[in-house]
Amino acid sequence: MASRVPVSADLSRCLESIADQTLEGIGVVLLLDGIGARQHASAVEIPVAIADRTWILAAHCGTAARARNGILDFIDDQLDQVAWVVRLDADDTFAHLASVETAVDLAERSGECNAVLGGNRVLSREGVHLRDNPAHPSLRDRAFLRTILGEMADGTAKNELPSCNLMVRARSGIRYPDMSSAEDHWLVADMLFHRPSSVAVLTDPLFVDYRLDGAVTREARGALKYRLSRRALQLAAETWAHVADLPGAVLGLGQEGIVRLHHGHVF
């Protein structure tokens, strides 16, 4: 498990949720991100069941994407026995006792997949169940994916991409794009559009309980970057679709452009 969190009352519930998982051998990399994080580390209470498999990191990463990538870098460099990595925020909990076990089982049965995408229950800040946001195999269909991204951009989506429910293979090279908002949506949309066979979709059970009105979410939704990032992602997907119809093969892409090869020429 990996978590980027401030020290808060939610953290205990998050850690207990991890400790209660049925899969044996789960470890926790807990990143306390922000000014004064090192001083807060001593205040974190780790459940006994996972106390000897918990690493606490203190950092000032600047963005959620850099924090998440920092965790992945630490795992790849220091924890060579880790096979799969799941990210939780402090106000997230697993929706089912066997969430991780089921996801890992699906991943191991799915051959060469590098990620598993699950669904989530959407809860209010007080924990009231508002709705479900399931993951569906149709997400790997480019037209369906573009429809969802369009609804996210114009604010009409009942549910956004379930991007917060992603499990990735350690040492697969997967990293979040370095942006200040919606970095998880950019990563998941890119993988679903360009490498759909690398993403296994967990349709049941729902993976995580996600609190819609958490502090990070409230801050982001009040900012212009929240809306602009979703509009930029929609425009990027339209460009991806245009390039996919061109002859040749895509070599790679980033925020600034797409590189493709056709008849020995690089475009």
Side-chain angles (χ1 to χ4, degrees):
M1 302 302 99
S3 186
R4 171 192 181 267
V5 298
V7 176
S8 68
D10 293 327
L11 180 55
S12 294
R13 183 174 58 239
C14 174
L15 293 173
E16 289 291 348
S17 170
I18 298 171
D20 289 342
Q21 287 295 292
T22 56
L23 185 66
E24 295 183 359
I26 287 179
V28 177
V29 176
L30 178 62
L31 176 60
L32 303 176
D33 180 19
I35 298 173
R38 191 177 301 275
Q39 289 70 32
H40 291 310
S42 60
V44 178
E45 295 185 6
I46 305 298
V48 173
I50 54 175
D52 61 348
R53 297 191 305 277
T54 297
W55 293 261
I56 300 179
L57 312 179
H60 190 198
C61 299
T63 67
R66 293 174 187 175
R68 292 167 187 172
N69 289 338
I71 291 172
L72 291 169
D73 289 343
F74 175 80
I75 290 171
D76 284 358
D77 293 342
Q78 303 295 327
L79 306 178
D80 57 7
Q81 294 185 338
V82 172
W84 294 96
V85 184
V86 178
R87 178 189 62 80
L88 295 178
D89 284 335
D91 52 2
D92 294 338
T93 56
F94 285 113
H96 193 277
L97 291 176
S99 286
V100 180
E101 184 172 11
T102 307
V104 170
D105 179 66
L106 173 62
E108 299 295 351
R109 288 187 287 105
S110 299
E112 297 302 315
C113 85
N114 282 326
V116 174
L117 184 65
N120 61 278
R121 293 188 298 189
V122 181
L123 309 181
S124 70
R125 188 72 185 90
E126 296 73 29
V128 177
H129 181 201
L130 301 177
R131 63 181 182 272
D132 291 342
N133 183 17
H136 192 276
S138 296
L139 291 171
R140 290 183 293 206
D141 177 80
R142 288 178 172 178
F144 185 78
L145 177 63
R146 289 168 63 192
T147 296
I148 291 181
L149 295 179
E151 293 173 348
M152 288 169 55
D154 62 26
T156 61
K158 178 182 178 181
N159 282 312
E160 296 196 323
L161 280 179
S163 307
C164 57
N165 316 305
L166 186 67
M167 182 177 79
V168 302
R169 187 187 296 273
R171 291 166 294 282
S172 62
I174 293 174
R175 293 295 186 270
Y176 291 87
D178 189 13
M179 53 205 325
S180 60
S181 181
E183 69 287 335
D184 51 350
H185 291 316
W186 277 84
L187 172 62
V188 169
D190 175 16
M191 294 179 67
L192 290 172
F193 193 94
H194 293 105
R195 302 176 298 281
S197 62
S198 72
V199 183
V201 177
L202 180 66
T203 58
D204 184 66
L206 292 172
F207 196 55
V208 170
D209 283 344
Y210 171 66
R211 292 184 182 258
L212 185 64
D213 300 320
V216 175
T217 302
R218 289 198 305 271
E219 179 184 357
R221 288 198 164 183
L224 180 61
K225 64 183 180 181
Y226 179 92
R227 298 185 295 276
L228 291 179
S229 64
R230 284 152 178 77
R231 177 59 177 158
L233 177 54
Q234 180 200 19
L235 294 175
E238 296 303 317
T239 301
W240 298 343
H242 170 70
V243 173
D245 290 335
L246 296 176
V250 173
L251 299 180
L253 68 152
Q255 304 306 119
E256 71 284 354
I258 302 174
V259 180
R260 65 185 179 91
L261 178 68
H262 179 53
H263 285 174
H265 296 277
V266 175
F267 297 84

